[in-house]
């Protein structure tokens, strides 16, 4: 069994205090903000023609490294180049229409703050020049519809490109570039953060001291000039407050879990948005192994059990909410996915009191937390309502009695809590829990104690216990635990045990069990 590496490190989380603090949206950033940048385009974004494979992304990273106000995390489903942060959304040979077909899922999966757009060369080079500017405009508006508030920086087609098929002409390139350049003022008048910059005039590949590798792709000299043309508007976007960045987000398989009896049901999202499940029977000490579960285009997932039934909730790339149920006692299958009210959801968590499931969602546009209730006895739905706070990136929940304890990480990596008493119908309001640099969370309750688990920005793993037996929660402070490369966490309570699940940045999924009767951990093992 593959175990997570054990690392001894100074705990990056401050001890939790019991006093109330600022609201969830008012925490002050403790570290240099990280801007999530998605390079989006075709083979030039991928880096064809570059000796290192880094394309413009490598020299752009060097330019960003020359200042200290922010850092950049390149995001995307593709990887290419010798640079350590090689993620991108560059697809060789893709037309604008091909990018339109995939962009919804890519944006939802990677949640960028900025898109660097370089598109259209394949359309013009393959003889489909007509309407290329309109298709590019539609893609840009699709990006803004998917992620309101995002910044899009578009660089035009290199004006000296003849194309691989000698289809590109100076007039065609100029017409396309001029249409997109004129779009910038229109988009900005509508409040959208869109900038168009001209591409540099590069020395052709068949001339002395060329800056192009062929008729379409720059060489490393040309990519360095493209990088400068992207860096200037990126830096200006930060100076203007178009983009502020935040704490880094973990990158690894999304996880959730739920218990029925002595069996933990683990659900994870694969990189292509599909679902898998694995069942661990802790009395028999067996796992079923990973099996495919119906569903696709999933970008957020949560599960909760009422009795022997697990309710699974999924957010798809369009921000819509879906649910399916399975009663594990009857041995039947899943009931099939159905829509629930809710849209533009970024992330989701859930908790149950009795037969009622309480859903908690973070909205894409502003990180506002909302809640809604589904009673599975009466089948009554209580519609969404705001919980207060903004700029939240993730929430998890645990239940003691009839009270749900909600824990939130804001985009600056700080930690907050809010307690909802569903008997009294009251919430305490957000309290500052004093943690920092948090990137992932999980929580599970045994009796009146909530066990809270946090992965921090360095990929390490920590835990803290909160005793809710009195009116004011008593926390014991954070402890370092073994484990590294932590991306996402999930936890389920089972008698005196908590079964902890972790995905790591290498794409693996692991489990570890905490025995709170004996105060022992059994060590990580790979699922």
């Amino acid at each position: 069994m593959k175990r997570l590496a054990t690392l001894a490190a100074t705990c990056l989380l401050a001890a939790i205090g019991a006093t109330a603090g600022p609201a969830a949206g008012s925490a002050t950033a403790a570290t240099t903000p990280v801007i999530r940048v998605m390079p989006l385009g075709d083979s030039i974004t991928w880096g064809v023609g570059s000796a290192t494979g880094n394309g413009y992304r490598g020299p752009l990273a060097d330019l960003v490294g020359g200042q200290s106000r922010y850092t950049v995390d390149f995001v995307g489903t593709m990887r290419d180049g010798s640079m350590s942060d090689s993620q991108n959304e560059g697809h060789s040979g893709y037309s604008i229409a091909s990018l339109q077909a995939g962009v919804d899922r890519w944006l939802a999966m990677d949640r960028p703050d900025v898109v660097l757009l370089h598109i259209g060369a394949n359309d013009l080079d393959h003889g489909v020049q007509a309407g290329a500017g309109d298709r590019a405009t539609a893609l840009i508006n699709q990006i803004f519809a998917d992620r309101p508030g995002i910044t899009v920086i578009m660089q035009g087609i290199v004006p000296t490109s003849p194309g691989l098929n000698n289809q590109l002409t100076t007039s065609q390139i100029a017409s396309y570039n001029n249409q997109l350049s004129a779009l910038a003022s229109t988009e900005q008048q509508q409040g959208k953060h869109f900038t168009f910059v001209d591409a540099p005039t590069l020395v052709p590949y068949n001339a002395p001291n060329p800056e192009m590798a062929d008729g379409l792709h720059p060489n490393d000299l040309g990519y360095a000039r493209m990088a400068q043309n992207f860096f200037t508007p990126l830096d200006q976007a930060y100076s203007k407050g178009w983009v502020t960045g935040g704490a880094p987000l973990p990158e690894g398989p999304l996880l959730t879990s739920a218990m029925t009896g002595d069996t933990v049901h683990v659900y994870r999202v694969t990189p292509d948005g599909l679902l898998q499940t694995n069942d661990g029977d802790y009395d028999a000490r067996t796992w079923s192994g990973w099996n495919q579960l119906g569903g696709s285009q999933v970008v957020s997932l949560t599960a909760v059990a009422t009795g022997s039934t697990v309710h699974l909730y999924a957010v798809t790339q369009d921000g819509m909410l879906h649910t399916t149920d399975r009663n594990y006692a009857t041995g039947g299958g899943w009931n099939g996915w159905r829509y629930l009210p809710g849209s533009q959801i970024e992330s989701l968590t859930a908790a149950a009191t009795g037969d009622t499931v309480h859903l908690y969602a973070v909205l894409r546009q502003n990180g506002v937390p909302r809640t809604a209730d589904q009673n599975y006895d009466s089948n009554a739905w209580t519609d969404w309502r705001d919980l207060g706070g903004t700029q939240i990136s993730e929430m998890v929940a645990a239940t003691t009695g009839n009270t749900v304890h909600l824990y939130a990480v804001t985009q600056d990596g700080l930690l907050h809590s809010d307690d909802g008493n569903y008997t009294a119908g009251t919430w305490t309001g957000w309290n500052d829990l004093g943690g920092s640099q948090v990137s992932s969370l999980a929580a599970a309750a045994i009796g009146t104690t909530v066990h809270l688990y946090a992965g921090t920005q360095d990929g390490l793993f920590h835990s803290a216990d909160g005793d809710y037996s009195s009116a004011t929660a008593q926390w014991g402070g954070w402890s370092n635990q073994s484990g590294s490369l932590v991306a996402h966490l999930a936890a389920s309570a089972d008698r005196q045990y908590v079964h902890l699940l972790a995905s790591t940045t290498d794409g693996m999924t692991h489990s570890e069990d905490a025995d709170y009767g004996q105060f022992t951990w059994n060590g990580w093992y790979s699922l």
Side-chain angles (χ1 to χ4, degrees):
M1 294 182 295
K2 181 179 179 181
R3 297 183 183 274
L4 278 75
T6 302
L7 294 178
T10 303
C11 184
L12 295 179
L13 292 157
I16 290 179
T19 58
S26 64
T28 302
T31 57
T32 302
V34 177
I35 298 174
R36 294 173 63 80
V37 174
M38 175 180 283
L40 175 62
D42 45 41
S43 56
I44 294 177
T45 299
W46 173 254
V48 171
S50 167
T52 62
N54 295 330
Y56 71 75
R57 294 173 284 110
L60 177 58
D62 293 338
L63 291 168
V64 170
Q67 55 77 51
S68 58
R69 295 171 296 150
Y70 58 88
T71 60
V72 159
D73 177 19
F74 288 121
V75 298
T77 60
M78 311 293 285
R79 293 179 183 270
D80 185 52
S82 61
M83 56 193 296
S84 58
D85 187 12
S86 64
Q87 290 176 276
N88 67 90
E89 213 59 71
H91 299 265
S92 292
Y94 267 33
S95 65
I96 298 171
S98 299
L99 294 170
Q100 283 182 279
V103 72
D104 293 337
R105 180 172 65 86
W106 302 330
L107 292 171
M109 290 290 288
D110 287 305
R111 299 156 66 174
D113 303 307
V114 176
V115 167
L116 302 181
L117 198 59
H118 184 75
I119 58 173
N122 286 325
D123 291 63
L124 272 62
D125 192 43
H126 295 163
V128 286
Q129 299 94 338
D134 294 335
R135 291 191 293 276
T137 299
L139 173 59
I140 291 164
N141 288 328
Q142 186 175 345
I143 293 169
F144 283 120
D146 283 346
R147 294 196 68 78
I150 198 171
T151 293
V152 178
I153 301 170
M154 182 176 189
Q155 187 164 171
I157 297 175
V158 173
T160 48
S161 299
L164 297 179
N165 302 309
N166 291 315
Q167 292 281 340
L168 275 69
T169 67
T170 301
S171 61
Q172 289 169 345
I173 295 173
S175 176
Y176 174 83
N177 286 345
N178 289 340
Q179 181 177 346
L180 277 304
S181 178
L183 179 66
S185 60
T186 301
E187 298 283 13
Q188 291 180 26
Q189 287 172 7
Q190 296 174 0
K192 298 174 183 175
H193 299 161
F194 177 69
T195 296
F196 179 90
V197 293
D198 289 315
T201 300
L202 301 181
V203 178
Y205 69 97
N206 54 2
N209 302 313
E211 295 174 314
M212 297 192 70
D214 53 34
L216 194 63
H217 306 96
N219 61 21
D220 285 330
L221 292 174
Y223 277 126
R225 293 185 62 191
M226 284 189 69
Q228 182 63 64
N229 284 21
F230 268 133
F231 173 70
T232 299
L234 174 63
D235 196 65
Q236 290 172 345
Y238 182 80
S239 298
K240 290 187 291 189
W242 280 11
V243 57
T244 57
L249 298 178
E251 295 171 357
L254 292 167
L255 290 176
T256 189
S257 64
M259 292 291 305
T260 60
D262 301 323
T263 298
V264 64
H265 310 283
V266 185
Y267 311 93
R268 71 180 179 187
V269 182
T270 63
D272 54 1
L274 302 179
L275 296 181
Q276 295 178 330
T277 181
N278 197 348
D279 304 321
D281 185 330
Y282 281 90
D283 282 350
R285 297 180 179 273
T286 60
W287 286 87
S288 65
W290 292 105
N291 296 296
Q292 204 72 26
L293 179 65
S296 63
Q297 301 182 0
V298 176
V299 297
S300 184
L301 191 69
T302 192
V304 65
T306 57
S308 59
T309 299
V310 172
H311 310 281
L312 193 61
Y313 303 90
V315 178
T316 44
Q317 64 187 30
D318 54 6
M320 304 296 286
L321 179 61
H322 315 258
T323 186
T324 184
D325 313 292
R326 180 181 179 184
N327 188 324
Y328 281 88
T330 64
W334 292 91
N335 289 329
W337 290 101
R338 57 192 184 276
Y339 287 101
L340 282 178
S343 62
Q344 293 303 307
I345 297 172
E346 183 86 301
S347 62
L348 194 70
T349 192
T353 56
D355 292 323
T356 298
V357 172
H358 310 286
L359 289 169
Y360 307 96
V362 177
L363 298 186
R364 285 183 177 178
Q365 183 170 1
N366 47 19
V368 166
R370 308 191 76 193
T371 183
D373 306 319
Q374 174 76 66
N375 186 298
Y376 283 91
D377 184 29
S378 63
N379 203 32
W381 172 266
T382 303
D383 210 359
W384 294 99
R385 55 201 182 276
D386 287 347
L387 281 172
T390 61
Q391 304 300 314
I392 289 174
S393 60
E394 181 182 4
M395 292 190 296
V396 298
T399 304
T400 61
N402 214 32
T403 297
V404 173
H405 309 285
L406 198 58
Y407 305 94
V409 180
T410 41
Q411 293 175 11
D412 49 19
L414 303 183
L415 185 60
H416 314 263
S417 70
D418 194 359
D419 304 321
N421 186 319
Y422 281 88
T423 300
T426 59
W427 287 86
T428 60
W430 291 105
N431 297 316
D432 185 358
L433 284 186
S436 66
Q437 302 188 33
V438 179
S439 60
S440 58
L441 274 179
I446 299 176
T448 60
T449 299
V450 172
H451 305 285
L452 189 60
Y453 309 96
T456 42
Q457 294 171 18
D458 53 6
L460 300 183
F461 168 53
H462 317 267
S463 69
D465 306 319
D467 183 352
Y468 284 89
S469 61
S470 59
T472 302
Q474 302 298 314
W475 288 88
W478 289 99
S479 300
N480 293 336
Q481 302 294 346
S482 66
S484 63
L485 305 177
V486 172
H488 295 282
L489 295 166
S492 290
D494 170 22
R495 296 161 290 189
Q496 68 191 40
Y497 308 96
V498 171
H499 307 299
L500 191 67
L501 293 308
S503 68
T504 44
T505 54
D506 57 4
M508 302 292 291
T509 302
H510 313 261
S511 182
E512 183 176 27
D513 310 312
D515 183 341
Y516 283 94
Q518 302 295 322
F519 297 100
T520 59
W521 295 77
N522 71 343
W524 291 101
Y525 55 94
S526 180
L527 294 183

